[in-house]
Amino acid sequence: MNAVNLLGDEIANPGHGTEAVVSALLDVMLLYILRAWLADQTEGGPATGWAATLADPAITAALRHIHQEPARQWTVEALGAKAGLSRAAFSRRFTSLVGKPPLGYLTWWRMTLAARLLRDSNTSVQTIAQSTGYTSEFAFAKAFKREQGLAPGQYRQHSRR
């Protein structure tokens, strides 16, 4: 029986732990879809886009560190060191593969996390600012408005309508 059939059966005949089983099966199916997509992306030659990014161990290492520690005061030099590359080589390679410079991507990731917290929680703006690497609420609000077009409080109200 494949994952799709198991999922269909679990939804049609719920039992103890159905929520956990459905969640796990959806995770497994997503991984198989991503594997198939990555294989398809690299079939005709060298990988491009996110497939290329995920195939590059140095850039993947830097992305992993950014995602694990978004509040850290990263520099291009520090990220390059995590990738095992010089600052200049890392910056060129990262920008080429990801489509944004390293610190531009870091800002985008921080704002993505902040938007999710504003939308899905009652966490204070000050706490969100700190958890995304900003030392002041004012600096965070300015960066957030530049990226999202709305101040954090306005974004929270708008996203909950």
Side-chain angles (χ1 to χ4, degrees):
M1 186 174 271
N2 65 36
V4 174
N5 291 339
L6 287 171
L7 182 62
D9 189 50
E10 193 64 36
I11 291 170
N13 304 303
H16 296 294
T18 288
E19 288 181 25
V21 171
V22 167
S23 178
L25 287 170
L26 288 171
D27 288 344
V28 168
M29 288 174 57
L30 176 61
L31 289 172
Y32 276 101
I33 290 167
L34 287 172
R35 279 184 180 174
W37 178 80
L38 283 169
D40 186 53
Q41 296 298 304
T42 57
E43 200 171 89
T48 60
W50 274 103
T53 304
L54 295 174
D56 187 309
I59 302 307
T60 301
L63 287 169
R64 184 173 38 257
H65 285 284
I66 288 171
H67 290 183
Q68 288 173 347
E69 298 180 80
R72 184 170 171 177
Q73 296 306 306
W74 290 108
T75 63
V76 175
E77 187 173 357
L79 288 167
K82 295 290 185 187
L85 299 169
S86 72
R87 181 187 177 283
F90 168 72
S91 187
R92 278 191 307 273
R93 196 149 137 193
F94 189 99
T95 302
S96 171
L97 291 173
V98 176
K100 294 179 186 220
L103 298 183
Y105 179 85
L106 174 62
T107 299
W108 173 83
W109 180 242
R110 286 173 169 174
M111 294 302 109
T112 299
L113 294 174
R116 185 181 311 145
L117 286 168
L118 287 164
R119 186 178 57 248
D120 299 338
S121 77
N122 291 321
T123 305
S124 73
V125 173
Q126 176 65 36
T127 301
I128 293 171
Q130 290 172 344
S131 72
T132 55
Y134 290 86
T135 55
S136 79
E137 188 175 335
F138 176 77
F140 165 74
K142 188 174 178 179
F144 190 87
K145 186 169 185 176
R146 187 175 53 247
E147 289 287 316
Q148 297 291 338
L150 293 171
Q154 291 173 315
Y155 180 89
R156 176 173 269 163
Q157 288 175 341
H158 187 270
S159 67
R160 291 185 174 178
R161 285 186 193 146

